[in-house]
Amino acid sequence: EATVAACPDAPVTKEQINTTLRNLRNSDAVDQAVDAMKALYEDINTNEKDKNRCEAAAKLIVELEGVGTIHAAMKDWNAQSKEFSELSTGSLVSITYLLQEATITLVRIGGIKTILSVAKKHDDDVVISHAVALFSNIAVTDDNETKEEVAVDACLDLVLETMKEWPDHLYIQGAGCAYFIRISTVNDIKTKLRKKGICLALGNVIDKFLDSDDDNVKNACKCAKKAHDMYSVK
């Protein structure tokens, strides 16, 4: 499953975030970069108990231009450390989930291309599930141009192939279905995705999870049904 960390109890401070971002920028070895990224990750990953604290940390990261710092570090250290890629993509999932401003910044600085590169380099369920979730978060936007950017063939193929490769991975299936719902307004996207076999992929999700009594699984199945209805030929 995608990595999830509980937030510490102590309130996060601007000085703390600023120091961590500075450490990340100044890292000259992969171990230093991992340590700095781990500190950020622990500050902004959400949980139900203390979401307000995590959101405050995310706002500080955005205020201090931390999205750009994380993105630049991804390009520097992705090839050298899967752990760094897991932490950096996981951090961006949380930040973009909490703050639309972060999503806009990430897209503007070339984040979609970088996410695709990271997912290609580290084809494991943690990194690639974060990539799917990031595309889903980006697609929340009402900006048509941004939706089109995250609905290019490379993104579509990554999400579809990931759903096929990990059919039992609830996080991937749920994020993938949400992604397809959110990009459904892009011009000609339904025709393109039908040709790529989206209806079969979504049908497999429904069949896989239909009889479960678990609420999270039910929600994923409901999402898959909604997406399937959108893309089915009327």
Side-chain angles (χ1 to χ4, degrees):
E1 295 182 3
T3 47
V4 178
C7 295
D9 294 332
V12 66
T13 66
K14 187 173 184 178
E15 181 181 3
Q16 174 186 340
I17 295 294
N18 195 39
T19 298
T20 305
L21 288 171
R22 184 170 60 249
N23 290 341
L24 182 59
R25 287 192 296 270
N26 294 339
S27 297
D28 54 16
V30 67
D31 290 346
Q32 295 173 1
V34 168
D35 287 344
M37 197 67 250
K38 190 178 295 183
L40 281 179
Y41 179 87
E42 291 172 351
D43 281 331
I44 49 81
N45 266 277
T46 58
N47 61 25
E48 294 180 0
K49 183 178 179 181
D50 203 2
K51 182 178 177 180
N52 289 338
R53 179 199 179 282
C54 298
E55 186 170 355
K59 287 179 179 178
L60 287 173
I61 291 172
V62 171
E63 177 186 340
L64 295 168
E65 300 182 350
V67 173
T69 298
I70 295 170
H71 179 254
M74 288 170 69
K75 294 195 289 184
D76 287 340
W77 302 110
N78 164 57
Q80 298 185 46
S81 171
K82 185 177 76 170
E83 182 181 9
F84 183 87
S85 294
E86 292 175 353
L87 292 165
S88 58
T89 54
S91 297
L92 288 175
V93 168
S94 293
I95 298 170
T96 56
Y97 172 77
L98 291 166
L99 297 172
Q100 184 68 22
E101 180 184 352
T103 303
I104 294 169
T105 299
L106 183 61
V107 173
R108 177 176 54 81
I109 61 180
I112 292 174
K113 181 179 179 180
T114 302
I115 294 163
L116 286 167
S117 176
V118 171
K120 183 178 181 179
K121 176 66 179 179
H122 301 294
D123 187 16
D124 76 319
D125 65 331
V126 176
V127 173
I128 207 158
S129 67
H130 289 165
V132 173
L134 278 166
F135 291 157
S136 182
N137 288 353
I138 291 170
V140 170
T141 180
D142 292 326
D143 181 70
N144 288 331
E145 186 175 336
T146 300
K147 281 188 185 288
E148 289 174 358
E149 287 189 57
V150 80
V152 296
D153 279 335
C155 297
L156 299 176
D157 292 343
L158 182 140
V159 177
L160 267 177
E161 292 306 313
T162 299
M163 292 176 70
K164 292 176 184 177
E165 187 170 352
W166 281 284
D168 299 319
H169 198 302
L170 184 61
Y171 185 91
I172 286 174
Q173 300 304 323
C177 291
Y179 165 77
F180 289 124
I181 289 171
R182 291 164 179 168
I183 64 168
S184 63
T185 57
V186 172
N187 189 41
D188 293 329
I189 196 68
K190 293 181 179 178
T191 299
K192 179 182 289 188
L193 280 168
R194 287 180 193 130
K195 291 178 180 178
K196 290 179 179 290
I198 187 174
C199 292
L200 178 61
L202 293 171
N204 288 338
V205 179
I206 296 169
D207 292 341
K208 187 75 176 178
F209 299 127
L210 184 62
D211 297 325
S212 175
D213 293 326
D214 182 273
D215 287 341
N216 290 327
V217 178
K218 286 181 178 179
N219 288 335
C221 190
K222 183 178 179 180
C223 191
K225 288 179 179 178
K226 182 176 180 180
H228 191 276
D229 288 345
M230 286 180 169
Y231 287 95
S232 296
V233 179
K234 303 300 181 183

